[in-house]
Amino acid sequence: MGYPFYDNPLDEYLGKFFDLRFREFKASCITLDEDAAPDSRASAVKTILALQQEIRTLKLEYDLPERAFDRYKSAAELAVERFDREHPEPPKLNISSCQHTQARPTKRIFRNGALHVVLQCPECGTQPRSLPKNGHDLGTLPDFDEGLYHRLTAERTLWSEARWAVYEAQMRNGSDIPDYDRTAFEDKFRRVDPAPCLESCDHKLIDARLRTYPSGGNAVVMQCITCGHHVGAASKSKHPDWALLSPFDDALAKRSKEEFSAWARRRSEASRNDFQDYKVNIQQRLQRRELSWKDNSRFGTYYDSPEWARTRARIFDRDDYQCQSCKNTAECVHHILYDRLGAENDFDLISLCNGCHTLVHVEQRKFHNLYRMSPTEIRSMLKPSNGDD
């Protein structure tokens, strides 16, 4: 019989998919280019989001059904399924759909000590909006309940954490790889390079300033004279000589942001280097057999399963035990796509000899594995040695 090359949906799908992924890759290179103009980076981010949506739409358009037999899942996935059966998922608090019909006025004290009158919704715990202080007796208003949202979502949070713990325990079974200690990195980095005041400023030193906006309007605002942050508005009635106030120092705020941005870039670079050192150290310890690691993912365990053995044998039989590229004896079953790993559609799988299989992966690696060879490309990769079509 052989692989179904004709009227194969993967030929058209993989061509379109590679085009979108390659354009996404080029746009991502712009976002990582420190010399690129800010406008170019912003445009590249929008391009990436648009391309990702196109990719999702393309996958839905060319979606192939999974097979209904010999389906495989890893022990970790099965453990999560058991957990879900024994512990039904608690309802999700959907803030975006909450109408806040029961919201009530409260007084809320912010980090800088400023007191505001705000609404709080008892159904979702959020602050829908602020209110003017006029007309509210601050002495009788209840305090804003800062912990309400966390109490409302506590059950789901605990359920999610327990579910993840079940999955992690199965994934770690047979391995003793230590976690990357991000907290230790943060502590070490901040001792050497403390954070600028913008991140940790408590805005204790504030001053009333006159802020003039591009429209020509002005307002009395409170500015932190340490970091330049606009802390809050102030009433002109409380500052009769408001016209004589010092102007809002935009340069101070700008300098603080620039200092913080430079520090954040240093931290990000140091974090990448530290994590890379962690990975190198783990690899060296694995090579010295000081640590052990076992891939318990679906990909890491599927190929030793009876489900894959039966699937492999069935594809060999379909393809008459011939390499579908060179027509020599088939030695392996190649995944054209991994989208349905463990429940592949027969279009996803093709029999190849080891030599042709190697050639396919060499070709795909030229494009950083963004590219997957289509069935027709695999078929025409080599001319059949016996002259058959």
Side-chain angles (χ1 to χ4, degrees):
M1 177 181 172
Y3 181 84
F5 285 103
Y6 300 102
D7 296 323
N8 191 308
L10 294 185
D11 279 325
E12 187 174 23
Y13 168 72
L14 287 171
K16 292 180 178 180
F17 182 69
F18 173 62
D19 176 64
L20 292 172
R21 286 296 307 276
F22 190 68
R23 287 159 58 192
E24 180 190 18
F25 173 74
K26 286 168 59 177
S28 67
C29 290
I30 296 174
T31 65
L32 297 173
D33 184 1
E34 295 183 356
D35 296 327
D39 289 347
S40 297
R41 286 189 181 183
S43 178
V45 169
K46 291 181 180 178
T47 298
I48 290 171
L49 293 175
L51 289 170
Q52 288 174 345
Q53 180 57 49
E54 286 190 59
I55 289 172
R56 287 191 290 270
T57 302
L58 182 71
K59 286 189 172 185
L60 290 174
E61 182 182 353
Y62 287 89
D63 188 37
L64 294 173
E66 295 182 344
R67 66 171 181 265
F69 56 93
D70 281 335
R71 297 169 67 91
Y72 175 81
K73 291 184 179 178
S74 67
E77 292 170 307
L78 294 174
V80 169
E81 287 186 355
R82 286 194 298 271
F83 179 89
D84 289 343
R85 289 195 299 269
E86 296 169 4
H87 307 278
E89 180 178 358
K92 184 177 181 180
L93 186 61
N94 193 343
I95 297 176
S96 61
S97 64
C98 183
Q99 301 299 311
H100 311 306
T101 55
Q102 305 298 318
R104 60 176 184 169
T106 63
K107 57 187 177 186
R108 189 173 193 180
I109 299 176
F110 291 86
R111 189 179 67 173
N112 60 4
L115 187 148
H116 292 270
V117 176
V118 302
L119 287 176
Q120 183 171 33
C121 176
E123 296 178 357
C124 67
T126 64
Q127 174 191 317
R129 61 188 176 91
S130 299
L131 298 172
K133 291 181 182 178
N134 297 337
H136 292 93
D137 184 356
L138 298 180
T140 59
L141 275 182
D143 293 330
F144 184 90
D145 190 344
E146 299 288 352
L148 178 59
Y149 172 79
H150 295 293
R151 293 199 300 278
L152 290 171
T153 57
E155 182 183 6
R156 185 175 177 84
T157 299
L158 292 173
W159 176 85
S160 298
E161 291 174 350
R163 187 174 187 264
W164 178 251
V166 167
Y167 178 79
E168 278 285 282
Q170 287 292 334
M171 290 297 287
R172 288 176 174 275
N173 188 26
S175 303
D176 55 5
I177 306 296
D179 290 332
Y180 174 65
D181 193 343
R182 187 165 296 278
T183 301
F185 162 75
E186 286 286 343
D187 291 343
K188 178 181 177 182
F189 179 79
R190 287 170 185 267
R191 283 197 300 271
V192 177
D193 192 347
C197 62
L198 185 65
E199 186 190 50
S200 57
C201 186
D202 55 12
H203 309 312
K204 287 184 177 180
L205 299 176
I206 58 176
D207 191 24
R209 300 288 176 92
L210 183 64
R211 187 163 199 176
T212 303
Y213 296 96
S215 63
N218 54 49
V220 176
V221 302
M222 306 305 294
Q223 182 176 29
C224 175
I225 61 176
T226 302
C227 71
H229 187 69
H230 178 154
V231 176
S235 172
K236 287 183 178 179
S237 62
K238 293 184 178 181
H239 299 274
D241 297 328
W242 58 267
L244 302 177
L245 290 173
S246 300
F248 185 87
D249 190 348
D250 285 300
L252 176 59
K254 183 179 180 180
R255 286 196 304 274
S256 295
K257 289 181 179 179
E258 289 174 348
E259 289 175 6
F260 180 79
S261 296
W263 176 83
R265 286 193 295 271
R266 294 195 299 272
R267 181 178 64 173
S268 179
E269 179 66 21
S271 176
R272 285 194 297 270
N273 292 337
D274 191 68
F275 186 66
Q276 183 61 35
D277 291 343
Y278 158 80
K279 291 197 296 184
V280 170
N281 177 260
I282 293 298
Q283 290 168 356
Q284 291 174 344
R285 294 177 67 185
L286 285 169
Q287 291 172 357
R288 296 195 297 266
R289 298 188 178 182
E290 296 174 2
L291 298 173
S292 61
W293 178 75
K294 182 180 178 183
D295 184 359
N296 291 317
S297 68
R298 185 186 296 192
F299 185 88
T301 55
Y302 177 40
Y303 294 108
D304 292 324
S305 71
E307 289 86 357
W308 171 245
R310 289 192 293 269
T311 298
R312 184 174 183 269
R314 183 170 55 80
I315 297 301
F316 275 152
D317 184 62
R318 180 202 67 183
D319 295 344
D320 301 321
Y321 297 89
Q322 277 191 330
C323 172
Q324 299 299 287
S325 178
C326 71
K327 301 302 183 182
N328 289 321
T329 302
E331 297 171 288
C332 63
V333 173
H334 168 67
H335 275 84
I336 296 172
L337 276 179
Y338 289 104
D339 292 12
R340 290 162 284 274
L341 185 71
E344 300 89 348
N345 186 287
D346 281 5
F347 281 116
D348 297 336
L349 300 169
I350 187 169
S351 300
L352 297 175
C353 67
N354 289 336
C356 287
H357 190 222
T358 298
L359 287 175
V360 169
H361 282 281
V362 167
E363 190 67 23
Q364 290 177 165
R365 281 195 291 271
K366 291 179 181 178
F367 299 94
H368 305 281
N369 287 320
L370 297 173
Y371 167 60
R372 304 291 303 180
M373 289 189 75
S374 70
T376 298
E377 289 172 324
I378 292 174
R379 182 172 182 255
S380 60
M381 184 173 57
L382 293 173
K383 290 183 178 180
S385 58
N386 59 3
D388 292 342
D389 185 35

